[in-house]
């Protein structure tokens, strides 16, 4: 893990693991929303730098980045990981969320997904960039978002599970 993090210069260009990807401009979001799908159907949402949500091919939340912390799925539960940095190392402090904490986190995630879906359904989304060009990504994204709620937590944080 890098001890010093840097902002991505161009997520759309860098995110080649997503064989289908788009940057969306929406009135309810200050920054571009990036949506990407891997070959197996696993998808990710980047609401600017944060929050970021990664789902497996079954539509289960496997990882996230929000509130300056990493979040990962572990046996159907969420754990938050906070980076503690020193000059010598960078370590992650783990906290397994309590039931109320997990409910709050998943509610915030669902809220972001619902607002994005509502913007798509209202026709307010503008595709800034997409790859490949011959895919109706707005329909694909809207259909995918509908399958994500309620948000279910994956058994593991890995994309291949």
């Amino acid at each position: 893990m890098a001890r010093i993090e840097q902002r991505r210069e161009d997520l759309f260009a860098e995110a080649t693991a997503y064989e289908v990807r788009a940057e969306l401009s929406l009135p309810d979001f200050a920054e571009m929303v990036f949506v990407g799908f891997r070959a197996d159907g696993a998808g990710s949402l980047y609401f600017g730098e944060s929050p970021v949500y990664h789902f497996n091919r079954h539509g289960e939340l496997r990882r996230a980045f929000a509130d300056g912390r990493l979040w990962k799925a572990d046996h159907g539960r969420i754990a938050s990981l906070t980076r503690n940095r020193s000059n010598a190392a960078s370590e992650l402090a783990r906290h397994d969320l309590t039931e109320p904490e997990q409910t709050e986190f998943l509610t915030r995630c669902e809220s972001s997904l619902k607002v994005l879906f509502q913007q798509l359904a209202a026709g307010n989304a503008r595709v800034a960039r997409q790859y490949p060009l011959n895919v109706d990504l707005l329909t694909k994204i809207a259909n995918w978002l509908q399958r994500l709620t309620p948000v279910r937590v994956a058994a593991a944080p890995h994309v291949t599970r």
Side-chain angles (χ1 to χ4, degrees):
M1 162 188 342
R3 283 191 287 144
I4 300 173
E5 295 177 14
Q6 299 176 14
R7 286 181 59 103
R8 293 184 183 275
E9 289 187 24
D10 186 353
L11 176 60
F12 185 86
E14 293 174 16
T16 58
Y18 300 107
E19 70 173 21
V20 176
R21 57 192 182 274
E23 273 184 340
L24 307 176
S25 174
L26 299 118
D28 284 356
F29 297 97
E31 296 185 65
M32 290 284 193
V33 175
F34 173 90
V35 184
F37 298 98
R38 294 174 182 267
D40 70 351
S44 296
L45 288 163
Y46 292 71
F47 294 90
E49 292 283 321
S50 177
V52 174
Y53 301 109
H54 300 287
F55 297 87
N56 65 20
R57 62 189 168 101
H58 305 292
E60 300 165 327
L61 182 66
R62 62 183 190 82
R63 288 186 185 271
F65 178 80
D67 307 322
R69 290 183 274 180
L70 300 169
W71 308 79
K72 73 172 195 167
D74 187 4
H75 295 91
R77 302 286 307 158
I78 298 285
S80 71
L81 304 165
T82 305
R83 292 179 199 258
N84 296 319
R85 293 183 176 89
S86 70
N87 289 336
S90 180
E91 297 178 357
L92 291 176
R94 180 185 171 123
H95 168 70
D96 293 322
L97 272 59
T98 64
E99 193 64 40
E101 290 170 330
Q102 179 159 312
T103 298
E104 178 187 341
F105 180 79
L106 295 177
T107 298
R108 287 188 301 144
C109 177
E110 284 181 14
S111 177
S112 294
L113 301 177
K114 286 179 182 176
V115 170
L116 178 56
F117 177 77
Q118 290 166 350
Q119 289 292 303
L120 290 169
N124 294 333
R126 183 181 66 78
V127 177
R129 294 191 283 180
Q130 79 172 59
Y131 180 84
L133 295 175
N134 63 343
V135 175
D136 178 7
L137 274 177
L138 294 179
T139 300
K140 180 178 179 66
I141 294 166
N143 290 339
W144 178 66
L145 288 169
Q146 285 186 299
R147 294 192 320 263
L148 297 180
T149 53
V151 175
R152 298 171 323 274
V153 180
H158 311 292
V159 73
T160 57
R161 306 280 166 150

